Amino acid sequence: MENAKLTVLMPAKNVEKYIELAIFSTLNQTYKNFELWVLENGSTDKTAQIVKNIKDPRLKIFELGSVGIKGAIEYGIKHSKSDWLARMDADDIIPQNRFEIQMRFLDKNPNIAFVGTSYSFLTPFGHVFKRNTDMKTRLVTKNNLAAFKRYYADPSVVFNRNKAAE
């Protein structure tokens, strides 16, 4: 499973200032078996053009119109052929080994449906100014998901579409 195909879903709207860095931080992962789907949903800036100018066979752009973030993610989940999906935001950057660590963890824990991470807030110069230190290893169940007691950041999740539906 450490080589399982992963589809990274990145909804994007009006993020021309951030999207290039978000894409390159994703494409530069140590885990290589993935596609990055930019789910462009109604930008009025140059977001789509910036994405189209990046040449990498793993990068695909879907211009969906004004479907919103929820509609964009639903599109990605519905149309991806991968069992494994990851979330990423178009204004975030990630460590180079994020997917490698998450997929290794999921490989060693086959009963787990998804894994998420903590996060930090950065200054415009890339310095950490606030860490979310609330994050600890916790079991997330359907009950605490329903009660919105999540302990992870949505754009940090890797999940198995089949196990998550169980």
Side-chain angles (χ1 to χ4, degrees):
M1 202 248 323
E2 282 188 50
N3 266 335
K5 180 75 169 220
L6 182 64
T7 299
V8 182
L9 306 177
M10 180 187 287
K13 182 174 182 175
N14 294 330
V15 287
E16 69 182 1
K17 290 169 60 175
Y18 310 105
I19 190 144
E20 191 172 45
L21 190 55
I23 288 171
F24 284 121
S25 80
T26 304
L27 292 176
N28 288 326
Q29 290 293 295
T30 54
Y31 190 88
K32 300 296 185 194
N33 194 13
F34 69 91
E35 291 183 326
L36 172 56
W37 286 21
V38 176
L39 306 166
E40 206 294 312
N41 60 101
S43 292
T44 56
D45 65 4
K46 296 177 184 166
T47 296
Q49 189 57 49
I50 291 168
V51 176
K52 290 176 186 176
N53 288 337
I54 299 171
K55 304 300 179 208
D56 188 296
R58 298 170 295 170
L59 177 62
K60 298 182 180 351
I61 183 170
F62 298 86
E63 295 182 80
L64 305 175
S66 295
V67 297
I69 189 169
K70 182 179 178 196
I73 294 167
E74 287 173 353
Y75 176 90
I77 291 170
K78 181 177 180 182
H79 291 91
S80 170
K81 304 290 186 233
S82 301
D83 288 338
W84 292 97
L85 302 171
R87 273 278 288 110
M88 175 66 181
D89 277 350
D91 62 350
D92 290 349
I93 56 174
I94 56 176
Q96 235 180 345
N97 59 352
R98 173 189 154 189
F99 298 148
E100 181 182 348
I101 290 169
Q102 288 177 303
M103 294 302 282
R104 188 179 312 129
F105 174 84
L106 290 164
D107 189 41
K108 291 178 181 175
N109 297 279
N111 294 326
I112 302 290
F114 72 90
V115 62
T117 70
S118 61
Y119 54 93
S120 297
F121 293 97
L122 303 178
T123 69
F125 306 106
H127 302 289
V128 173
F129 76 89
K130 181 181 179 196
R131 290 192 192 279
N132 180 341
T133 56
D134 227 11
M135 304 300 227
K136 295 181 176 67
T137 302
R138 294 189 175 123
L139 179 65
V140 179
T141 65
K142 287 184 180 180
N143 291 338
N144 60 19
L145 268 177
F148 298 103
K149 294 180 181 173
R150 298 178 300 177
Y151 306 104
Y152 56 89
D154 287 348
S156 76
V157 171
V158 171
F159 66 97
N160 182 299
R161 72 165 68 246
N162 300 318
K163 290 181 186 177
E166 293 174 359

